[in-house]
Structure formats: structure tokens, C-alpha cells
Amino acid sequence: MGKLICDSTTSSPVIPWKDPTAAPSSIDTIAAAAAVDLSDEILTATATTPWDDVSGLEDQQKRHLQRLHAKGVLWKHPGNKCQNQNQEDDVDSSSSPPAAVVFRLSHGGDVEADGNCLFTASQKAMNLKEISAKDLRRRTVRRFLEDLRSESGMERENVDAAIRHMYAPDLRSGWGIHVVQELKLLAKKADRETLDSAIEELVNLGMQRELAAESIYKERCTAVDNGQNWAKYMSISGSPDDEYNIITLQYTEDGLLTVDENREGHAAAFGDDIAIECIATEFKREIYVLQAHGSDAMVDEDNCVFFLPHRPRSEICGPPFFLFMKGTGWCGAGADHYEPLIAHSSSVISHEKVALVL
């Protein structure tokens, strides 16, 4: 599952359509002089799925996705020099990425919708054989905390504000966009019996069960409202060794809708834009999320497919990788499931022949 930030400084801008007939830049001239074919070991996986066979897509989406595969997208390296490469990173530090390359994008197959899909899809898209999705989640949180320690006071405030926007929103506003808003809380597994006893006491005093649960959870659990608590939240994979369980309070404009107490402890923290930027920074690679919206999002055919770029906070030392999202229109603000894209590299061709310039 996935979550996107709306109106946040941590989000990257949508990639607009660029006129393929525009005059080439100097980097294009360099690329044209030296065609590149990157290693399949780094950029491709063993299995891909034709877009016609991908479930849940409308015809207009399939047409655009088939065009992206047939013509490819042109990526240009920003030109920075990669220095101080960490040898633990899964990037080939022996050579710099090429000046430009064309990628033909195929669907990399379904991944389980268990809350870990960002990390599972990223693992498959990067073809990481020695790193599990759970390991990738841990590295993402570690990278976030390391970067957070180096932030200035103002930067930390911006991070905290973005996190509150997603996980502890002000329920007095935002109803023009969202039908349902959620508060995420963290309950220590060791405290579950104590929490249950406190809720039962309120019920015995005549309070409705859900209202009693809301009151106790909000009073005694940890809100996901700052960087340190985000790290605790994003560490949760729904496994038995998690320290915390996720409690979700859902609200409509009229008040409390449901309380998801997650008693089985299977809920995992969905990946978000902050996590994607951390993965990009950890591997020193750009990540492009290809988002496909259907008719429920009320977009015309020309705008039903677009790229959301996420850039590392450091230098770029390898080629980008790509993720896929099937957008949903009901919330007007993103999508709910990540899947891998397999990027097949090919020789650089002219602007006129590619489907899109990233």
C-alpha cells in the first residue's frame, strides 16, 4: 500500500509533457555521440507482464502505457559527480551513470497488498537479490534518522509538518478534499492488556465501546506527528517482532467513523513520499513513480498517466528505477498500491522518437 503527500515541500513536482521537437541540449549531443546499453543485471528482472494483461487498467491507460513501452522515456543524468560512494550501497561505484539513456518500461508483476508493497516493489524494480523487503524498510528508516539528525531547526519543523499532515491531520479542515480522514496511533504491544482494561472501565461506566476506545487510544498511544514517531511507525511491517501495533481512527466530517484496533497485529506502515525519498538517497538513484488514473479520477485521456519524480538528497550515482501506481480518484490525492516497473535500457535516440523526456 502507498500514501502520497499533498501540498508538501517533501513532494517532487509532476513531470509535465515536454515537447520532443525542442532543440537538444548539450547533454543530448553527448548522448547521441555515445549510445548506451546499460547492464540487464542492474536494470531488469527476469519476468515482465505485457500491459494488456495487467488487471485493473482501463483502455485509455493501457494505450498510454503501451506507448511508453514501445517508444521509451529519455532520462538525462543531471551531471553531478558521484563522490564518497559508500561501498555498502548497492550501486556500481566503479563507473558513473551515462549522460542519457532510453528506458522501455514493462510491468514487473503483482506484489502482495500487505502494507509492504513500496519496499517489495522497490526491491523487485532494483533487482536486489541479497536484500529483502523487510531489510529495505529498515534501511529506509535508518537513512531517515541519519538525515534528520543533520537537519536544521527549520528543516525539522517542515518535516514534522508534512508528517502531521499525513498522519495527524487537523480534523477541523480538509473536508473539501477528503471524505474520510485518518489518525494513526502507535500502541506498544506490551501495553495491549492495560489499554483493554482502561477501555473496559469506560464501557462499564456507560460509554459506547468505540468512543471509549477512541478516548483511551488518543490519551495513551503515540501520535505519528513528528520525525521520531514517523521512524517508529515506518518500522512496522506487520510481523510478530514489531514493537508497536498501528491503531487507526477514521473520521468523517460528522465525527468518528471507525476504530481499527489491529488486534492481530498484521497492519504494516504504508510507504509514503518521505520513505521514497529516503530510498532514493540510500541508493543514490532517482525514483520515478508512474501513476495511472482511471475515469473515476475525472481526468481526460491526455492526463491519465504521469510521472512523479523523487530525487536523492545526495549526488546521483546510478540510473533511476521506476514504480507503478494505479491511481484512485475518490480522495483526489494519490493512489494506494505500488508495483514494480522493469526498465529495459536501449540506445539513445532522438527526442522525436521517444514517448517522453523525464
Side-chain angles (χ1 to χ4, degrees), residues 25 162 168 196 222 233 241 251 292 355:
S25 65
D196 286 345
T222 301
Y233 170 73
D241 58 348
Y251 293 86

Side-chain angles (χ1 to χ4, degrees), residues 45-66:
T46 55
T48 60
T49 304
W51 286 111
D52 276 339
D53 298 334
V54 178
S55 62
L57 293 177
E58 299 175 3
D59 288 343
Q60 63 178 11
Q61 295 168 309
K62 289 181 180 179
R63 284 194 293 271
H64 280 261
L65 294 167
Q66 287 164 343

Side-chain angles (χ1 to χ4, degrees), residues 3 156-170 181-183 223-227 230 274:
K3 190 176 184 72
R156 287 192 182 194
E157 288 180 11
N158 290 337
V159 171
D160 290 347
I163 290 168
R164 285 194 300 272
H165 172 81
M166 289 189 288
Y167 302 113
D170 182 354
Q181 296 200 68
E182 294 182 345
L183 298 184
V224 184
D225 57 2
N226 59 45
W230 181 92
I274 298 174

Side-chain angles (χ1 to χ4, degrees), residues 40-47 107-112 117-129 131-133 136 285 321-323 338-343:
D40 285 348
E41 183 179 354
I42 297 177
L43 298 173
T44 67
T46 55
H107 190 258
D110 296 329
V111 297
E112 190 172 354
C117 63
L118 168 63
F119 306 100
T120 306
S122 296
Q123 176 203 21
K124 292 187 175 183
M126 287 191 284
N127 197 26
L128 301 177
K129 299 184 182 298
I131 300 176
S132 69
L136 185 55
R285 299 170 67 175
F321 73 91
F322 299 83
L323 300 172
Y338 292 98
E339 296 169 350
L341 289 177
I342 307 306

